[in-house]
Amino acid sequence: MELLQTLADSPSLPALFFLSFLASTILPIGSEWLLIVMVMQGFPLPRLVLTASLGNFLGACTTYLIGIWGSDFVIRKVLRIDDRQLDRAGKMYEKYGIWSLLFSWLPVVGDPLCLLAGIFRTGFARFSLLVFGGKFLRYAALAYLVAKSTGD
């Protein structure tokens, strides 16, 4: 908790990047609160949105790479997913397609979407475009709404 208080007391772009990165991995933390604090303190919106989006995207890339290179270990040993469950996830991913990656910013489902994209070998260019786009739009909307509500 001291770390969160330190981030709130003296926020910085590197701290936002790091927290956004961690928030897009399997760790259950959020970065939106720091973005809101920084918007309210008058940090430039374009820098905030780009920094948070890039950190969050690179965290998603980490999960994607785990799906590609560590999928068997992660799926079978850590997540304890059997073949039947994996087949069902694959069918859902096929049904909703790669467009579901636009929603990789959502809590709970976002990280598994990025993992599935790696497991099912979604092309990195498509993955990048959809994931970064979704994350960028989320942070841009949040920053805009906060700035508008605070009169900045």
Side-chain angles (χ1 to χ4, degrees), residues 81-95 116 120:
I81 297 174
D82 61 30
D83 288 334
R84 186 183 59 79
Q85 293 169 316
L86 184 59
D87 186 51
R88 197 170 95 208
K91 286 179 182 169
M92 284 183 62
Y93 190 72
E94 285 178 18
K95 179 179 179 182
L116 285 173
F120 297 119

Side-chain angles (χ1 to χ4, degrees), residues 55-109:
N56 213 240
F57 168 69
L58 292 175
C61 288
T62 302
T63 304
Y64 171 84
L65 292 173
I66 289 171
I68 288 176
W69 291 318
S71 60
D72 193 51
F73 174 77
V74 170
I75 291 168
R76 309 248 187 262
K77 304 292 184 200
V78 177
L79 300 176
R80 299 178 190 257
I81 297 174
D82 61 30
D83 288 334
R84 186 183 59 79
Q85 293 169 316
L86 184 59
D87 186 51
R88 197 170 95 208
K91 286 179 182 169
M92 284 183 62
Y93 190 72
E94 285 178 18
K95 179 179 179 182
Y96 296 107
I98 63 168
W99 294 105
S100 64
L101 292 172
L102 283 170
F103 300 100
S104 65
W105 57 270
L106 287 170
V108 181
V109 299

Side-chain angles (χ1 to χ4, degrees), residues 30 49 130:
V49 171
L130 294 169

Side-chain angles (χ1 to χ4, degrees), residues 7-8 11 32-43 146:
L7 290 174
E32 294 80 7
W33 68 271
L34 185 57
L35 179 85
I36 291 168
V37 167
M38 294 175 78
V39 169
M40 293 174 73
Q41 290 184 358
F43 281 77
V146 172

Side-chain angles (χ1 to χ4, degrees), residues 2-12 15-16 19 33-34 37:
E2 288 180 39
L3 174 63
L4 298 181
Q5 187 61 49
T6 301
L7 290 174
D9 290 341
S10 39
S12 66
L16 179 62
L19 193 60
W33 68 271
L34 185 57
V37 167

